[in-house]
Amino acid sequence: MMAMCAARLDEPERAIQLLAGPFETNPFRPSGYTIRRPDQTPMYMPANGGWLAAVAMMAAGWDGHTGHAPGFPKNWKVRWEGLSPMP
């Protein structure tokens, strides 16, 4: 939610930092999955879906926003397929 908010506030660098920041402050691996212990946690957790939803919104945008990949820094090359802007 914080990355989505940062993207909507036109702070894409902050959004990226929140999604893929340093390990000490970010529970996600580069693949987008949370750190897990096989004997304690299932592979899929709701946080993984939230991470993916944030990335999708940052790529496809949201209602009222025009432009390509508004949630990513302008110098990034972002491609996606089949996503609709979020409300």
Side-chain angles (χ1 to χ4, degrees):
M1 287 177 44
M2 293 187 324
M4 290 176 167
C5 181
R8 286 179 183 244
L9 292 174
D10 198 27
E11 295 185 19
E13 289 82 9
R14 182 176 299 236
I16 295 296
Q17 182 68 25
L18 289 164
L19 289 177
F23 179 76
E24 298 81 26
T25 60
N26 189 337
F28 294 97
R29 293 184 180 187
S31 63
Y33 285 105
T34 54
I35 305 301
R36 75 179 194 97
R37 295 180 185 95
D39 59 329
Q40 296 177 356
T41 320
M43 182 54 139
Y44 179 81
M45 296 182 65
N48 298 336
W51 191 92
L52 293 171
V55 171
M57 187 206 81
M58 291 167 60
W62 47 90
D63 286 350
H65 194 284
T66 58
H68 179 75
F72 287 91
K74 300 297 181 222
N75 62 341
W76 284 38
K77 293 182 182 187
V78 180
R79 293 179 16 188
W80 72 92
E81 292 181 15
L83 299 175
S84 298
M86 282 193 171

